[in-house]
């Protein structure tokens, strides 16, 4: 009899807890069963009116029912706490919703120009050569036939590593002074020492000069070097390659001219000018674009290539300069300031 009543109480407790939304209500309901005035507590009071010999059984059944009811409440409490935790995480996530747009980075305009230049030269058999930005004075100047007193070697123009002054008393032969390369022409020497002619290489890379930064100067900039060595190479070959290159870059209507110039490592040397009909403010004007010339036999001798058998040409151009001309950019500093308003204008172009 008692057991049946107790089982009804257990079932009641289960039913009472269905859909309880909060811990506060859970507390209230719990009191109606297990509190001092709760139904189980009331039921326990019957003990007094029960025959002595039945009391142990009654007590046992009572404790069993109490245990079951307590467990029911405990389980429910755990679930309520889980729900409260979930609520504190905010609204549930709907994984089927489209994601918010992410910011897509673009390729830097200088990288784009470099890639274009490289791909134009690759079409006519040039391969890419690379060397380090930290160079020795020998590779940057001596091997390129640059005299000791050449102004480019001046500490006002070139960024030398501090050790240079300590070398003052060491003979030139043993002296290795390091600097940040001022041009990519050092890659000519590294290539000539490594590879046997005939060769065609293009060497894009970063260069450094001790320049005061303004709209057209930057202490850090980029160049692309070109070197072509073969038998019986002529200035006409040089002009042909550069005309092809500049047409690919600036369009078929480009006109070019070679103007005599001087570089210690080329003889004869030229500046290349170009004229383009549609180049904004610079349309139809002669603009200097790059330096070039026939590799000086003295350079070939130095790297033990016989200048009677081999000769060639070299050229070098600034990647910033080309990019500025192509896109009508008027200040070199834009390239290094990481301003999204500037950079995003190039992000859709390949
Ligand atoms: N290195 C030269 C410069 O920085 C450019 C150049 C390269 C000229 C190759 C001739 C041949 O101005």
């Amino acid at each position: 009899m008692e057991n049946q009543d107790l089982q009804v109480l257990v079932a009641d407790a289960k039913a009472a807890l269905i859909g309880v939304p909060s811990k506060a209500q859970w507390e209230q309901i719990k009191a109606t069963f297990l509190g001092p005035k709760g139904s189980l507590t009331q039921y326990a009071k019957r003990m007094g009116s029960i025959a002595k010999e039945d009391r142990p059984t009654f007590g046992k059944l009572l404790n069993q029912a109490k245990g079951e009811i307590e467990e029911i409440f405990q389980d429910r409490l755990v679930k309520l706490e889980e729900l409260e935790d979930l609520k504190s995480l905010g609204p549930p996530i709907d994984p089927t919703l489209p994601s918010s747009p992410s910011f897509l980075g673009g390729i830097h305009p200088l990288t784009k120009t470099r890639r274009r230049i490289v791909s134009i030269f690759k079409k006519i058999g040039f391969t890419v050569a690379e060397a380090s930005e930290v160079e020795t004075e020998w590779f940057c100047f001596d091997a390129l036939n640059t005299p000791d007193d050449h102004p480019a070697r001046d500490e006002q123009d070139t960024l030398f590593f501090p050790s240079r002054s300590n070398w003052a008393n060491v003979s030139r032969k043993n002296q290795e002074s390091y600097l940040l390369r001022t041009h990519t022409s050092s890659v000519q020497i590294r290539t000539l020492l490594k590879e046997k002619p005939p060769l065609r290489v293009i060497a894009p890379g970063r260069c450094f000069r001790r320049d005061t930064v303004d709209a057209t100067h930057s202490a850090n900039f980029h160049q692309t070097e070109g070197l072509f060595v073969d038998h019986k190479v002529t200035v006409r070959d040089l002009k042909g390659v550069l005309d092809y290159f500049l047409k690919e870059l600036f369009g078929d209507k480009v006109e070019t001219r070679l103007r005599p110039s001087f570089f210690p490592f080329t003889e004869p040397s030229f500046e290349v000018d170009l004229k383009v009909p549609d180049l904004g403010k610079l349309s139809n004007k002669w603009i200097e674009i790059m330096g070039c010339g026939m590799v000086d036999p003295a350079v070939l001798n130095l790297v033990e290539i016989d200048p009677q058998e081999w000769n060639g040409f070299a050229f070098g151009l600034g990647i910033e300069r080309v990019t500025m001309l192509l896109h009508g950019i008027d200040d070199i500093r834009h390239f290094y300031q990481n301003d999204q308003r500037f950079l995003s204008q190039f992000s859709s172009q390949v």
Side-chain angles (χ1 to χ4, degrees), residues 98-104:
S99 55
S100 47
S102 55
F103 179 73
L104 204 58

Side-chain angles (χ1 to χ4, degrees), residues 183 185 188 209 223 225 263 265-266 291-292 314-316:
H183 54 182
S185 297
Q188 286 187 36
R209 284 184 198 173
Q223 281 191 343
E225 194 76 11
F263 297 102
F265 38 94
T266 47
C292 68
F315 54 88

Side-chain angles (χ1 to χ4, degrees), residues 142-162:
D142 298 81
L144 286 159
N145 201 33
T146 311
D148 271 358
D149 58 356
H150 193 279
R153 295 196 192 228
D154 200 288
E155 291 193 27
Q156 304 298 317
D157 294 313
T158 300
L159 291 150
F160 285 93
F161 281 81

